[in-house]
Amino acid sequence: MDLTRGTSATIKRVYNNNVLLAELNDGSEMVLVGKGIGFGHKPGAPIDLDSADQRFVPDGSYAASHVAGVLSDAPLEQIELAQDITALAQQELRLEPRQSLLVPILDHLGFAVQRARDGIKVDFPLRWEVAQLYPAEGNLGRRVVALIQERLGVELQEEEWVAFALHFVNQQSAQVRFLQDRLHDRDDCQGLLPALGAVG
């Protein structure tokens, strides 16, 4: 159940026509995204949360202002694509769809697209290691590169799959560290820590 549906908030900052930061009645923050949602609005004005196409509630990965800043630098189609890539990672690799994955994916996507449009090539020295050690992540990285060409009409450097694969690997490591931290708080589970460490 969405408890924010049909409620209003106060605009805290307008980043651009499509992204703004809102403050709810309880003082929490939410990033609102939608075509033209920020047009003509100023901080302090009320905003209907239902007017947003997408709403991002901070999940502890980043501050709301950081999420809003990254989103405001990206075209809407890249935001949607990054969300779809995150969903693929959840489906294929069982990664949690957290902003700790979405934000780096979106940030890298923007730079990769710009490099391709400018004809800039970069070196990916870990290509062999990633392919050998993380085949599932590598395969998904290749699918992501193909999906970007299909959706955005931009042909990335072929080796960009390496960078996307490493984002997936980093997210898996973050999930393991989270479990390790939780287990450290429970003396009766200390014996599980070496096994968890081996997963990363």
Side-chain angles (χ1 to χ4, degrees), residues 17-40:
N17 285 342
N18 302 322
V19 179
L20 59 81
L21 181 63
E23 184 174 5
L24 307 183
N25 293 333
D26 62 1
S28 61
E29 296 178 331
M30 179 183 293
V31 182
L32 305 181
V33 178
K35 189 173 183 178
I37 193 173
F39 181 76

Side-chain angles (χ1 to χ4, degrees), residues 83-127:
Q83 289 178 297
D84 289 343
I85 292 171
T86 302
L88 272 176
Q90 179 186 18
Q91 178 182 347
E92 301 291 333
L93 304 174
R94 297 183 179 180
L95 296 180
E96 295 182 10
R98 295 177 59 83
Q99 291 161 13
S100 57
L101 177 60
L102 173 65
V103 170
I105 287 290
L106 178 59
D107 196 40
H108 182 82
L109 173 61
F111 282 113
V113 168
Q114 192 58 52
R115 282 197 298 268
R117 288 172 174 166
D118 293 341
I120 298 174
K121 301 287 186 178
V122 295
D123 187 29
F124 292 92
L126 297 177
R127 180 173 58 178

Side-chain angles (χ1 to χ4, degrees), residues 62 89 93 95-96 98 100-102 104-105 108 126 130 134 137 162-178 199-200:
Y62 300 100
L93 304 174
L95 296 180
E96 295 182 10
R98 295 177 59 83
S100 57
L101 177 60
L102 173 65
I105 287 290
H108 182 82
L126 297 177
V130 173
Y134 305 103
E137 292 80 358
V162 178
F164 286 106
L166 287 173
H167 284 303
F168 302 141
V169 172
N170 288 339
Q171 180 67 11
Q172 289 174 324
S173 298
Q175 290 181 190
V176 170
R177 286 194 298 271
F178 173 76
V199 175

Side-chain angles (χ1 to χ4, degrees), residues 140-172:
L140 185 55
R142 293 182 181 90
R143 289 176 58 190
V144 166
V145 171
L147 184 62
I148 291 169
Q149 182 173 357
E150 176 186 334
R151 293 271 293 272
L152 302 181
V154 178
E155 184 174 358
L156 299 186
Q157 182 179 343
E158 180 183 355
E159 294 81 4
E160 286 284 358
W161 68 265
V162 178
F164 286 106
L166 287 173
H167 284 303
F168 302 141
V169 172
N170 288 339
Q171 180 67 11
Q172 289 174 324

Side-chain angles (χ1 to χ4, degrees), residues 15-16 18-20 33 66-75 79 106:
Y15 284 78
N16 57 31
N18 302 322
V19 179
L20 59 81
V33 178
H66 180 77
V67 175
V70 173
L71 293 172
S72 66
D73 287 336
I79 296 175
L106 178 59

